[in-house]
Amino acid sequence: MTAAKDAVYVTEDLIASDIDAYLDKHQHKTMLRFITCGSVDDGKSTLIGRLLYDSKMIFEDQLASLENDSKISGTQGQNIDFALLVDGLAAEREQGITIDVAYRFFSTDKRKFIVADTPGHEQYTRNMVTGASTADLAVILIDARQGVLTQTRRHSYLVNLLGIKNVVLAVNKMDLVDYSQERFYEIVKEYSHFAEQIGLTTFLPIPISGLAGDNIVTQSENMPWYQGPPLLTHLEEAPLNVAQMQDRPLRMAVQWVNRPNLDFRGFSGQIGSGTVRPGDGIRVLPSGKTSRVKSIVTYDGELDRAVAGQSVTLTFTDEIDCSRGDVIVQADAPCEVADQFEATLVWMGEAEMLPGRPYLLKIGTQTMTATVTEPKYEVNVNTLEHLASSTLSLNAIGVVNISTDRAIPFEAYEDNPDLGGFILIDRISNATVAAGMVHFALRRSQNIHWQALDVDRSAHASAKNQTAKVVWFTGLSGSGKSTIANIVEKKLHAMGKHTFLLDGDNVRHGLNRDLGFTDADRVENIRRVGEVARLMTDAGLIVLTAFISPFRSERRMVRDMMEEGEFIEVFVNTPLEVAEARDVKGLYKKARAGDLKNFTGIDSPYEEPETAELTVNTVDLTAEEAAEQIVEALTR
């Protein structure tokens, strides 16, 4: 039962054929995804609640609960507070704000809808980006009393950045400004000036009152001067992104290889853009192998044609290599392949971005290692000024250069969000730390190629009669890393081994003399050392390194540079109080006095290894004894 007795899909006198006809019609309706965004208290949740109410998507028990909750937690006295239909978290109801992204489904006779109610507070910008990432349309609300605010600008910038071309400017709470036509056009003029600056060329302004229902479903009698469509009418008629993507060349990221038996091998995924038919020529990227489509298979049978938005399995006429992460494209209109890009990042992590730190990058159905090689600038969304910045903090938006560990097929985000949108993931915590939009490939990525060499790393190592490896000593300052590493090298040298010792202090006198001790500089310090160590293993050497290297992520980065089994992590485990008591260089004393900033163990963290191959305790062992244990383990 529903709040409205004429709701056709639950009326008791429906006959079976009517129900079947309705369900068939409902199944074939188009689906519009849209978001509501804007500043705090602009009325986003109230607007969605009104849409749910007026589209007859509230059942009688829900309505009764809403009426009761409105009396307890509502902000409208004894009247219904429609925002409570969406603000489900207890904290949201207590504060009268939206914190998380709330998704709601509703439908009309013409279309189905999924709406994301996104938070207005700046600290929840990352939640807003999440809600906008799949939207066809954005409703940007403005409180008619407040006008254009900072969050209005921020959310508008993000909406445009995320490629949402269909934008509604809903000037809400018109009932609180006496439905003033002058106030409405004053706000539209102010917003138009900002929209032009960010490249938002078109938007539809609608004066509304979410609470009173003006211009939500029907034309408002209180604003006869407005002759445009009410909000719901526009939502029912707005074009869908998927329809526009059907006119572009074929792009389909392979999700999995479908091999139920020896006689069938297909490639499954959702078509991101374009149209495909049996007989069409295709190319698999990044390999570049070509073939033709033999059949288009679905659960309901084979198709003569498939378009953007459909999930299908394609079979080819030729046996070519194709696997998860590859992209099937139109043979004569392929996309680019590169491993270095310029991109915009919206930083979502609590910890700031560190250039040079390896992150996981997920784009389409691929996941790989990537680093931010060069932050170019941060954007002040209020003034649109480009600010010099070496990092990005929570909710910051910036343009950066990104390098991936292998070449990937891509398109600019504005042309194809599926192949141009990506996320960065912290390798240790698996938390999503950024959302990104690819602009273009860097030219140097197309001009630099690996040179094949006849004398390879195995030949170098064989000539030295040893196995190349990196022995990575890590521990606090004063733990004895350099002392032990030096003894280990002397012992290996006496055994006829070809070695080289990279010491943290020594490297900072030359290769890394331009780096300080901030977290970002420490990351770059280890990245450079890792690259040098890798080159030395290519030469067949046993490389010993003695660096604090405080972050697990960077130690893992160096491990990943090496061949399997070549990276030996040695944790010189010395408690902070013991290392500080030794304080041979007087560094702890300076750090405690505030004269030495970013000192590991004092005001900068040290992340102990979790899976070190070797651990030596210099409290119980002398440096000579610790070195002997390490040499014994290395020469077994």
Side-chain angles (χ1 to χ4, degrees):
M1 291 177 27
T2 64
K5 294 181 180 179
D6 59 346
V8 66
Y9 47 91
V10 292
T11 305
E12 294 179 359
D13 60 353
L14 276 178
I15 59 174
S17 60
D18 293 330
I19 295 175
D20 291 341
Y22 172 80
L23 292 176
D24 183 68
K25 178 182 177 182
H26 184 73
Q27 181 180 359
H28 292 90
K29 291 177 186 176
T30 58
M31 170 80 77
L32 177 77
R33 294 175 178 269
F34 71 98
I35 65 166
T36 58
C37 53
S39 194
V40 179
D41 292 331
D42 280 350
K44 299 179 292 295
S45 300
T46 299
L47 172 62
I48 296 174
R50 170 61 75 172
L51 283 170
L52 293 171
Y53 183 82
D54 288 348
S55 59
K56 303 179 178 65
M57 291 299 292
I58 307 175
F59 293 88
E60 283 187 355
D61 57 340
Q62 290 177 308
L63 181 60
S65 177
L66 177 63
E67 291 172 343
N68 183 60
D69 289 345
S70 295
K71 296 175 182 178
I72 299 172
S73 307
T75 60
Q76 305 301 321
Q78 296 301 306
N79 297 323
I80 292 178
D81 187 348
F82 293 107
L84 297 182
L85 281 171
V86 185
D87 289 340
L89 298 177
E92 292 178 338
R93 294 194 173 196
E94 290 169 1
Q95 300 177 52
I97 62 171
T98 299
I99 296 174
D100 203 354
V101 181
Y103 294 93
R104 291 294 183 271
F105 171 87
F106 69 99
S107 68
T108 65
D109 289 341
K110 295 183 178 181
R111 177 173 274 178
K112 295 179 286 187
F113 303 92
I114 293 178
V115 55
D117 179 26
T118 61
H121 279 72
E122 180 178 350
Q123 70 191 90
Y124 303 119
T125 297
R126 54 186 172 182
N127 303 47
M128 180 268 172
V129 173
T130 301
S133 61
T134 57
D136 299 288
L137 179 148
V139 179
I140 299 174
L141 279 88
I142 291 180
D143 186 328
R145 300 168 301 170
Q146 303 294 329
V148 179
L149 302 175
T150 298
Q151 276 301 84
T152 313
R153 296 185 179 94
R154 176 180 291 273
H155 285 185
S156 298
Y157 183 89
L158 288 168
V159 161
N160 188 58
L161 184 66
L162 291 165
I164 301 176
K165 304 302 182 185
N166 200 329
V167 175
V168 174
L169 182 70
V171 182
N172 193 23
K173 305 185 182 182
M174 289 297 295
D175 53 317
L176 300 182
V177 294
D178 297 325
Y179 300 103
S180 168
Q181 181 179 6
E182 290 75 18
R183 179 56 178 158
F184 173 70
Y185 284 116
E186 179 183 321
I187 291 172
V188 171
K189 182 179 179 180
E190 181 183 3
Y191 185 82
S192 297
H193 178 67
F194 177 76
E196 183 179 353
Q197 290 180 292
I198 63 174
L200 187 59
T201 54
T202 58
F203 62 90
L204 175 65
I206 304 178
I208 66 169
S209 170
L211 188 62
D214 293 288
N215 283 333
I216 303 298
V217 176
T218 59
Q219 293 279 162
S220 170
E221 296 180 357
N222 295 312
M223 291 177 281
W225 44 266
Y226 173 72
Q227 297 300 310
L231 177 60
L232 187 59
T233 299
H234 179 70
L235 295 178
E236 290 178 328
E237 298 173 352
L240 303 178
N241 290 343
V242 67
Q244 299 170 357
M245 295 302 292
Q246 292 175 10
D247 297 329
R248 299 185 57 81
L250 173 67
R251 306 285 187 259
M252 189 184 95
V254 177
Q255 294 181 349
W256 68 296
V257 178
N258 189 346
R259 193 75 186 273
N261 55 60
L262 294 176
D263 300 321
F264 184 90
R265 183 168 178 259
F267 309 97
S268 302
Q270 185 179 68
I271 300 175
S273 67
T275 302
V276 63
R277 298 176 177 82
D280 285 353
I282 59 92
R283 186 182 302 270
V284 176
L285 297 178
S287 70
K289 300 292 185 181
T290 59
S291 184
R292 291 191 175 275
V293 176
K294 180 179 179 181
S295 61
I296 305 171
V297 182
T298 70
Y299 179 82
D300 296 319
E302 294 190 9
L303 303 177
D304 295 328
R305 173 176 175 268
V307 299
Q310 288 184 277
S311 295
V312 298
T313 295
L314 302 181
T315 65
F316 301 153
T317 56
D318 304 289
E319 287 289 337
I320 62 173
D321 184 31
C322 183
S323 58
R324 175 178 170 82
D326 289 343
V327 179
I328 299 170
V329 301
Q330 188 174 312
D332 57 357
C335 58
E336 290 186 74
V337 177
D339 61 2
Q340 296 181 66
F341 314 90
E342 181 187 272
T344 295
L345 285 185
V346 180
W347 196 254
M348 301 177 173
E350 297 288 346
E352 67 179 16
M353 179 197 76
L354 294 178
R357 166 166 286 185
Y359 298 97
L360 294 178
L361 183 148
K362 188 176 188 306
I363 182 169
T365 55
Q366 297 188 78
T367 301
M368 69 214 66
T369 299
T371 56
V372 179
T373 58
E374 181 185 348
K376 304 183 81 169
Y377 58 83
E378 184 176 339
V379 179
N380 182 326
V381 296
N382 211 24
T383 64
L384 301 182
E385 181 183 4
H386 292 179
L387 306 174
S389 178
S390 60
T391 185
L392 295 175
S393 55
L394 178 62
N395 294 324
I397 303 167
V399 174
V400 302
N401 288 348
I402 286 183
S403 175
T404 56
D405 64 355
R406 61 180 181 272
I408 57 174
F410 79 98
E411 289 193 301
Y413 181 87
E414 64 179 359
D415 296 329
N416 189 332
D418 286 344
L419 292 184
F422 62 89
I423 59 173
L424 292 182
I425 303 168
D426 185 272
R427 289 156 54 96
I428 301 298
S429 67
N430 275 335
T432 298
V433 294
M437 288 68 70
V438 171
H439 297 170
F440 50 78
L442 300 179
R443 186 173 300 171
R444 61 177 176 266
S445 69
Q446 301 170 1
N447 298 331
I448 299 175
H449 306 278
W450 281 103
Q451 176 65 45
L453 302 174
D454 293 329
V455 182
D456 61 13
R457 66 199 324 272
S458 61
H460 284 297
S462 178
K464 296 175 176 64
N465 195 29
Q466 63 185 30
T467 301
K469 60 186 64 176
V470 172
V471 185
W472 191 277
F473 291 81
T474 177
L476 292 171
S477 177
S479 61
K481 300 181 300 299
S482 296
T483 302
I484 297 172
N486 186 52
I487 298 174
V488 169
E489 186 181 30
K490 286 196 297 183
K491 290 179 178 293
L492 291 174
H493 182 72
M495 298 167 63
K497 302 297 183 181
H498 297 259
T499 63
F500 195 89
L501 173 58
L502 291 168
D503 181 76
D505 285 351
N506 294 348
V507 168
R508 282 187 176 271
H509 283 294
L511 176 66
N512 293 344
R513 66 186 302 175
D514 59 317
L515 300 177
F517 291 91
T518 64
D519 286 354
D521 282 348
R522 288 178 183 275
V523 170
E524 176 60 13
N525 181 50
I526 298 305
R527 188 197 69 79
R528 293 183 192 179
V529 170
E531 293 288 355
V532 170
R534 184 181 61 80
L535 289 172
M536 287 184 167
T537 58
D538 284 346
L541 296 175
I542 297 174
V543 185
L544 298 93
T545 72
F547 293 84
I548 295 174
S549 48
F551 304 125
R552 296 189 190 105
S553 182
E554 279 61 67
R555 298 195 297 266
R556 179 182 293 184
M557 171 183 64
V558 181
R559 182 186 293 273
D560 290 345
M561 292 180 185
M562 308 303 166
E563 299 291 330
E564 183 71 27
E566 284 188 359
F567 185 87
I568 310 297
E569 188 173 33
V570 179
F571 176 32
V572 183
N573 186 5
T574 304
L576 176 61
E577 59 272 16
V578 175
E580 188 170 359
R582 293 172 180 170
D583 205 9
V584 178
K585 302 174 185 177
L587 301 179
Y588 284 100
K589 185 177 181 180
K590 290 181 180 179
R592 292 291 187 189
D595 297 329
L596 190 59
K597 300 296 184 184
N598 302 310
F599 190 76
T600 303
I602 304 301
D603 57 352
S604 185
Y606 177 77
E607 299 171 355
E608 293 188 359
E610 296 177 329
T611 56
E613 281 76 11
L614 296 170
T615 297
V616 292
N617 188 327
T618 59
V619 175
D620 301 326
L621 299 174
T622 65
E624 183 72 29
E625 292 170 337
E628 190 61 42
Q629 281 191 8
I630 295 167
V631 171
E632 182 181 347
L634 293 175
T635 55
R636 284 174 188 162

XYZ file of all heavy atoms in Angstrom, residues 574-607:
264
model
N 66.394 -2.042 16.953
C 66.933 -1.401 18.154
C 65.866 -0.479 18.741
O 65.370 0.407 18.026
C 68.188 -0.578 17.812
O 69.142 -1.422 17.181
C 68.787 0.036 19.063
N 65.469 -0.648 19.996
C 64.454 0.224 20.596
C 64.885 1.688 20.552
O 66.080 2.008 20.601
C 64.362 -0.287 22.033
C 64.857 -1.690 21.985
C 65.910 -1.699 20.923
N 63.893 2.580 20.469
C 64.170 4.013 20.382
C 65.029 4.490 21.544
O 65.989 5.256 21.351
C 62.850 4.800 20.341
C 62.974 6.332 20.352
C 63.739 6.824 19.131
C 61.588 6.975 20.424
N 64.737 4.028 22.758
C 65.478 4.525 23.918
C 66.947 4.109 23.859
O 67.847 4.847 24.302
C 64.840 4.043 25.226
C 64.741 2.531 25.398
C 63.463 1.947 24.802
O 62.809 2.648 24.006
O 63.129 0.802 25.162
N 67.216 2.932 23.282
C 68.600 2.472 23.149
C 69.326 3.285 22.079
O 70.460 3.738 22.283
C 68.650 0.974 22.805
C 70.096 0.525 22.553
C 68.036 0.151 23.929
N 68.652 3.472 20.917
C 69.258 4.247 19.836
C 69.524 5.681 20.288
O 70.568 6.268 19.981
C 68.338 4.238 18.610
N 68.585 6.227 21.070
C 68.744 7.607 21.538
C 69.856 7.708 22.575
O 70.595 8.706 22.626
C 67.419 8.108 22.113
C 67.428 9.585 22.444
C 66.052 10.125 22.782
O 65.065 9.342 22.736
O 65.954 11.330 23.087
N 70.035 6.672 23.378
C 71.094 6.687 24.385
C 72.470 6.666 23.723
O 73.420 7.276 24.218
C 70.936 5.493 25.327
N 72.571 5.994 22.591
C 73.848 5.963 21.866
C 74.127 7.334 21.255
O 75.179 7.919 21.465
C 73.791 4.911 20.751
C 73.691 3.480 21.267
C 73.444 2.504 20.135
N 73.356 1.127 20.616
C 72.947 0.108 19.859
N 72.608 0.321 18.591
N 72.890 -1.109 20.366
N 73.199 7.840 20.490
C 73.214 9.199 19.912
C 74.623 9.676 19.557
O 75.083 10.740 19.988
C 72.568 10.192 20.886
C 72.014 11.425 20.138
O 71.990 11.404 18.886
O 71.627 12.384 20.815
N 75.313 8.851 18.771
C 76.709 9.133 18.433
C 76.866 10.490 17.756
O 77.837 11.218 18.002
C 77.255 8.013 17.515
C 78.698 8.309 17.118
C 77.154 6.659 18.226
N 75.894 10.861 16.912
C 76.010 12.096 16.139
C 75.304 13.280 16.809
O 75.297 14.385 16.263
C 75.425 11.880 14.740
C 76.093 10.747 13.969
C 75.372 10.472 12.654
C 75.950 9.273 11.936
N 75.219 8.948 10.679
N 74.674 13.040 17.959
C 73.976 14.121 18.649
C 72.692 14.555 17.981
O 72.162 15.637 18.257
N 72.140 13.691 17.113
C 70.956 14.068 16.341
C 69.689 14.042 17.186
O 68.816 14.907 17.046
C 70.812 13.136 15.142
C 71.999 13.127 14.161
C 71.744 12.150 13.022
C 72.243 14.531 13.610
N 69.563 13.031 18.058
C 68.367 12.954 18.904
C 68.286 14.172 19.826
O 67.207 14.711 20.068
C 68.374 11.661 19.726
C 68.005 10.438 18.931
C 68.985 9.574 18.445
C 66.673 10.132 18.655
C 68.653 8.450 17.712
C 66.323 9.007 17.923
C 67.317 8.164 17.446
O 66.988 7.046 16.718
N 69.424 14.581 20.327
C 69.455 15.742 21.224
C 68.949 16.986 20.502
O 68.161 17.767 21.046
C 70.882 15.962 21.742
C 71.011 17.080 22.771
C 72.435 17.186 23.296
C 72.545 18.295 24.333
N 73.942 18.406 24.848
N 69.397 17.180 19.265
C 68.931 18.321 18.468
C 67.435 18.215 18.181
O 66.706 19.211 18.238
C 69.709 18.396 17.156
C 71.163 18.799 17.304
C 71.835 18.875 15.932
C 73.298 19.286 16.071
N 73.963 19.343 14.742
N 66.990 16.991 17.862
C 65.567 16.800 17.554
C 64.696 17.083 18.772
O 63.640 17.721 18.664
C 65.326 15.376 17.047
N 65.130 16.625 19.947
C 64.375 16.876 21.173
C 64.324 18.367 21.488
O 63.327 18.862 22.022
C 65.023 16.134 22.338
C 64.922 14.628 22.281
C 63.513 14.127 22.475
N 63.462 12.672 22.578
C 62.338 11.972 22.584
N 61.181 12.595 22.454
N 62.362 10.652 22.678
N 65.367 19.086 21.112
C 65.416 20.530 21.380
C 64.664 21.334 20.334
O 64.523 22.553 20.465
C 66.877 20.985 21.437
N 64.161 20.653 19.309
C 63.421 21.347 18.255
C 64.302 21.953 17.195
O 63.811 22.683 16.318
N 65.605 21.623 17.213
C 66.538 22.192 16.238
C 66.656 21.336 14.980
O 67.279 21.753 14.004
C 67.936 22.345 16.858
C 67.936 23.309 18.036
O 67.106 24.244 18.010
O 68.749 23.127 18.967
N 66.085 20.138 15.000
C 66.162 19.230 13.855
C 64.763 18.688 13.578
O 64.256 17.852 14.325
C 67.137 18.085 14.151
C 67.529 17.168 12.993
C 68.186 17.964 11.879
C 68.480 16.082 13.489
N 64.136 19.205 12.544
C 62.761 18.846 12.239
C 62.689 17.548 11.436
O 63.655 17.162 10.764
C 62.076 19.973 11.449
C 62.036 21.306 12.179
C 61.206 21.241 13.446
C 61.093 22.585 14.128
N 60.351 22.501 15.407
N 61.515 16.899 11.488
C 61.228 15.689 10.707
C 62.244 14.582 10.986
O 62.703 13.890 10.067
C 61.206 16.011 9.198
C 60.199 17.080 8.848
O 59.041 17.006 9.231
N 60.642 18.096 8.121
N 62.589 14.404 12.256
C 63.570 13.386 12.621
C 62.830 12.094 12.976
O 61.933 12.078 13.829
C 64.424 13.846 13.795
C 65.606 12.959 14.061
C 66.723 13.022 13.246
C 65.590 12.052 15.107
C 67.816 12.201 13.477
C 66.670 11.222 15.347
C 67.794 11.292 14.529
N 63.223 11.021 12.327
C 62.533 9.739 12.508
C 62.607 9.278 13.967
O 63.677 9.256 14.577
C 63.160 8.662 11.604
O 63.100 9.099 10.249
C 62.413 7.343 11.742
N 61.455 8.897 14.477
C 61.356 8.429 15.855
C 60.945 9.511 16.822
O 60.453 9.221 17.916
N 61.152 10.787 16.428
C 60.785 11.903 17.305
C 59.541 12.609 16.770
O 58.478 12.550 17.379
C 61.953 12.903 17.455
C 63.206 12.176 17.971
C 61.579 14.037 18.408
C 63.032 11.484 19.302
N 59.655 13.284 15.635
C 58.477 13.939 15.056
C 58.175 13.450 13.644
O 57.446 14.077 12.897
C 58.645 15.468 15.060
C 59.889 15.924 14.315
O 60.700 15.070 13.924
O 60.054 17.141 14.141
N 58.764 12.318 13.270
C 58.451 11.667 12.005
C 58.403 10.165 12.266
O 59.256 9.639 12.990
C 59.513 11.996 10.945
O 59.153 11.467 9.681
N 57.419 9.443 11.722
C 57.218 8.041 12.108
C 58.228 7.089 11.471
O 58.806 7.367 10.418
C 55.806 7.751 11.584
C 55.646 8.666 10.406
C 56.377 9.923 10.785
N 58.422 5.941 12.141
C 59.157 4.826 11.559
C 58.231 3.618 11.540
O 57.693 3.216 12.577
C 60.420 4.496 12.350
C 61.148 3.287 11.788
C 61.915 3.416 10.636
C 61.023 2.027 12.367
C 62.555 2.316 10.080
C 61.672 0.924 11.826
C 62.435 1.070 10.673
O 63.053 -0.025 10.113
N 58.023 3.054 10.351
C 57.145 1.893 10.200
C 58.007 0.637 10.148
O 58.701 0.385 9.155
C 56.307 2.036 8.931
C 55.404 3.264 8.943
C 54.726 3.529 7.608
O 55.016 2.815 6.625
O 53.904 4.466 7.547
